[in-house]
Amino acid sequence: MQIEKTEETGFCFGVKRALRILEEATEKYGAVETLGPVVHNQRVVDGLRELGVRVVSNPDQITGNIAVIPSHGMPPQVSEELKARGLKVIDSTCPNVRKAQRAAKALSEVGFWVVVFGDPNHPEVKGILGWAGGKGIATLDGEATPKLDKLPHRVGLLSQTTRNPAQFAQFINSFVTLFLPRIEELRIVNTLCHVTKKRQAEAVDLASKVDVMIVVGARNSANTRCLAEVCASAGTETHHVETAAEIEEDWLEGKSFVGVTTGTSIPDEVTEEVMLRLDQIKRGLDATT
Ligand code: F3S
């Protein structure tokens, strides 16, 4: 049995940057509070807690003097409110997310209604809409947009950074087919993250060669869920796990080629544990054949 992982695994530069900012903040100020987990990985969150990082779910829960905006960003109103309360705000928003926020702001300032291709409940998407000054909506379905009945004449389309390029293209296509007769001007800004794009391309490539794909990452991580979706859409049996312990021996039985990829919030040690677990299962299966 052959086991292969994609060339790119582990933290992306945006996550590494956010962790560095947090570590520097704890060194300088001691305890800090983040608005939501800085990354979607419990082991990382637990490690940060030991350094003095407390996670809160909304600004009212902040009790200290230092608040950190996580890598997926926040609406600008949140940091304004915190600063007005006299808190020091440290911003660890990923530069790629910042690009999407700036695009939303620029479009709305010149009169465009912003439509974000993304999960309306995801913090990054809520943040982008906040930068559009509330002049926009988020949806994953280009056709099911009942809220667009009163569509303004100028529309700007953006994407959540971690979405799949083919799905964004499909969304644009359906949107144009359905709404172009009703709008005067349409602007499309490609706000997809290049790291996610590359990782998805590598994952699909590997998925097309293997018998089973293991995708490692938090279940609430948008980029990991997208990775699992694209691997499954290649027609390959795909399992999304958070830890090595979740990998079941049955998945590998009778398989000759196993592929592994990870989301962007996964520490290298978790990838190593997954590779070790797969190797142990492989040895066990080899010994019985
Ligand atoms: Fe940023 Fe892309 Fe990572 S948006 S946080 S570099 S997945």
Side-chain angles (χ1 to χ4, degrees), residues 12-15 71 94 96-97 124 161-162 193 195-196 223 264:
C12 59
F13 85 93
V15 167
S71 55
C94 170
N96 287 347
V97 175
E124 178 199 317
T161 55
T162 47
C193 158
V195 178
T196 312
N223 80 77
T264 54

Side-chain angles (χ1 to χ4, degrees), residues 102-125:
R102 287 207 182 105
K105 182 172 188 281
L107 284 165
S108 79
E109 280 176 354
V110 291
F112 281 78
W113 183 255
V114 174
V115 176
V116 182
F117 172 59
D119 175 359
N121 297 314
H122 193 281
E124 178 199 317
V125 175

